[in-house]
Amino acid sequence: MDKILEGLVTSTHPLNLKKVIVKKVVESAENSISEEQCKAMFSLTTRLVLEGEDYFQKQVGHQVLEAYARYHRSEFENFFNRNFVLSLLQEGYRSLDRKDLAIIDYIHNGLKLIMSCPSVLDIFAVLQVEVFRIVCERPGPLLCSRVSELLSDFVQCIPKGEMSIAFCKQLVRTIGHFQCISTLEKELREYVSQVTKVSNLLQNIWKAEPCTLLPSLQEVFAIISSTDASFEPSVALASLVQHIPLQMITVLIRSLTTDPNVKDASMTEALCRMIDWLSWPLAQHVETWVIALLKGLASVQKFTILIDVTLLKIELVFNRLWFPLVRPGALAVLSHMLLSFQHSPEAFHLVVPHVVNLVQSLKNDGLPSSTTFLVQFSELMHCMIYHCSGFPDLYESILEALKDLPKPSEEKIKLILNQSAWTSQSNALASCLPRLSGKSETGKTGLINLGNTCYMNSVLQALFMATDFRRRVLSLNLNGGNLLMKKLQHLFAFLAHTQREAYAPHVFFEASRPPWFTPRSQQDCSEYLRFLLDRLHEEEKTVKALSSRTTPDNPVTDGILQEISSLATEGLSGTHCNPKSTSWGREEKTLIENMFGGKLQTNICCLNCKSTSQKTEPFTDLSLAFCPAFAEKSMQSVICSPKEKDDDCIEIDINPCVEETASPGPLKDKVAVSEAQSNLNCVVDTSLCDNTLESHNASSCKIGKHRALSVTDLLSYFLAPEVLHGDNRYHCEKCSSLQDAEKTMQILEEPEYLILTLLRFSYDPKCHVRRKILDNVSIPLVVELPVERTTSLASPGDCTLDIDISDVGENLAKKLKPSGIEDMCCTQLVPYVLSSLVVHSGTSSESGHYYSYARNVTSTSSCLHPETRTLNPSQVQVVGSETLNSVVGSEPPCSDMSKEWFLFNDSRVTFTSFQSVLNITSRFPKDTAYVLIYKKHIASGVHSAQPNSANGLWVNGEPPLQKELMDAITKDNKLYLQEQELNARARALQAASASCSFRPNGFDDNDPPGSCGPSGGGGDGGFSTIGRLVF
């Protein structure tokens, strides 16, 4: 019969005829035949099964073999014995290799045919050894899946006892070697199916023998924590996670994170590879284990690992959101990684560029699952933007894309952030170094945050962008390295010419920090700016005074200059800008006076005897307070007139401790330190006000009802007449008693750069805290400052709009005044254009974050708008909405004026627009303009001459640098290139280093709390366990 069957399957007869004959052969299996004929039939059918040339031959072999084995069981038991199976697994069959899939399938079918025979036990024993050997040889996923099918059907073949643990560990390691290089969907599906069969086998073994579970998991961790660069474990290991009981999470994570034998490098690798598992389809609970491990590492304060892994893998996790099959798990991990990474916005900023595309794509597909996802994703984005506020240029497009999606409440955001925060902090957070990278596309250089020094960085960038001031500083020919101006010149030179993306101002920070400023804690940028300008002014005055007394035989030495610097600092810290100590106007002006200095006159008129006292003081900035009713009732956008000033209102400057502590030199704080702030209670008796005052009050009271509060309104309030009444009455020397009086303030000399500080922080006497006024204040591109001019005119009518008297001084007017001509006081409106502004992000003066907007504005701009106008006294009113025709958002129609704005945010410098400046507070309520710098506009045809440089001709308007500065910059740029090269080599050689390889670029350290967070881009303060870390 075997000869007939062999001839039949190899013949050329029609297939239908062959099937009929084969059917007859199968039916003949019921007949009794000899043992030799049975063996011959088994041998033939085995050869057909294993080596059949086509599917028909293999099928015939299976059918006939099963039929004869069923009716001749004892003969088949003798044929399919222990030795035959062993030879198949160790030697193969004829031309087939021992690892051929056909052999495993043949044995699998053979076991089904002899299950009831006693000899099967011997075969089971052979297979227990042989399958262990096969697994140890690291078979591919297809062969391993066939072996797993066999073992799943015949669990008796699974190694027992101690061998079972070893078998599970080897099977885990085999899965770790699986790879699929195909990208075709069909082949990928087959690969996933094969891996699933193997992982199901392990699950069955773990259930049957629980003692094998923990060793298997230990083997998994050993594989994924390997630092061997030549071996990358397969993502297929993710298929095992779904089979691990969730009840074991707590025990296993605690064991892993507290094991002293697990090195940081190994833990980093393990965590990174677990995050890679998120891409494995159908795997359940992967995100649960990843988040559990992240929380476990945070609980044992292994923040270095968390920082490294987050920065390395956050973009990969975000990319998984594009795939619906793994999107839920990826979103869970992404949310935890972002929300817990609260010490720096760097992780969030890595994914920010990809957010808009993802949102738009999911909006377009319209699937219910996408809509649900977008709601969750929108909540995450709003939480991150709230926490990492201070980067409007990055977030504008995201907010626009999410505008149609629900926005969580502030309370919910705080709760989410608080629940996700790392439970404690360590110095590991500050151990990272800034990445080396080239200058940004803006061509500008950032300033590295040295630890809560954003207040300094924002001010320095604003001063650097004050073009005329920068050029004057760079053109100075200074001797002596201990001068603060020399250090400022050095800083400006590096900002202008270094190749680095960001410069670390260590030297200048140490030299310019006010003595009462606590290092590495948040400070007030306005106070720092005032101290810096005063210090530079006092230093230059002292040097000039000393130079005038020196001779060639007794030159000024570095030692003397160092003494000058220390004396200047001590003088500034010993007195708080005493106006009587200054000699402004009585000698040659300093650079600070020329650039920022102005004069303010305070007039107090006794309403009883009409006598007037006058006091003139210099200033470098005007501190613009919110009117009391507006500050206390910030929801009511109403500008108060003097009539409305509340008796109980207390007007406080940004830093009230200044009056108690040292204060720098002769420059004033709005003169409010000595004058305005001494009058804490402001009451106006309306019966004592004249018609002019009443009309102004009536107009100013209506400001907020029709439009938003603006800088011009605050300036109007600053210069508005004030009636001193009640407890705030004025002591008149002529009356020799306290009398009601009217106080007015007039600007006599305007500065080249007008610095305006918005006093946003008011004292709450009930809670004994300083609260921030978060109301939006419109920022005009152009303001007009009313300046009192004294001129000689035959009649008031001669004071016309065409007269430009910007260069007419008091002494010159007296010399040229003919007899019979009286002095005439006119108010000239001097136009200023916005140069820069510093923004405070946060809700507290003791925390938050500072950044600045700036542009290049020079005195040689030929912009003709607005025209310089001069008013006679009958026309003068305090600057208001009618006077300032340049309202917010109306840019002067001047093509020559620079319209290119920059956003300076510590190390980060980006392009922005004036529209972003206008919308900053409306889009980000905690981000408010604080310090504004305006540049005086010089009328067309009147140009200031460039100062002569000590080193030669100016190039493109910029002065040439001294050789010392040029050499220093050249040396540092060479060092920078060397650092870049070394960094590139280190990245090439780096495997898995336990040291922190990244530092949040350009953001503050986490040293002491009380800095640029959480209010400044970090919430409202106090809700985060990390606590007031800085950006």
Side-chain angles (χ1 to χ4, degrees), residues 292-345:
L293 185 53
L294 290 170
K295 290 182 177 179
L297 291 171
S299 67
V300 294
Q301 302 181 13
K302 292 188 176 181
F303 298 113
T304 300
I305 298 176
L306 293 172
I307 292 173
D308 282 346
V309 171
T310 301
L311 295 177
L312 283 170
K313 293 296 182 180
I314 194 72
E315 290 178 280
L316 182 144
V317 176
F318 186 90
N319 289 335
R320 295 295 175 264
L321 299 177
W322 288 94
F323 305 100
L325 204 58
V326 297
R327 185 178 293 156
L331 178 61
V333 174
L334 179 73
S335 299
H336 180 81
M337 293 175 76
L338 288 177
L339 293 171
S340 62
F341 201 87
Q342 294 186 10
H343 73 286
S344 162

Side-chain angles (χ1 to χ4, degrees), residues 844-864:
S844 169
S845 60
E846 286 80 22
S847 63
H849 178 55
Y850 290 103
Y851 57 93
S852 55
Y853 292 93
R855 62 171 179 164
N856 289 307
V857 178
T858 65
S859 60
T860 57
S861 171
S862 59
C863 181
L864 302 177

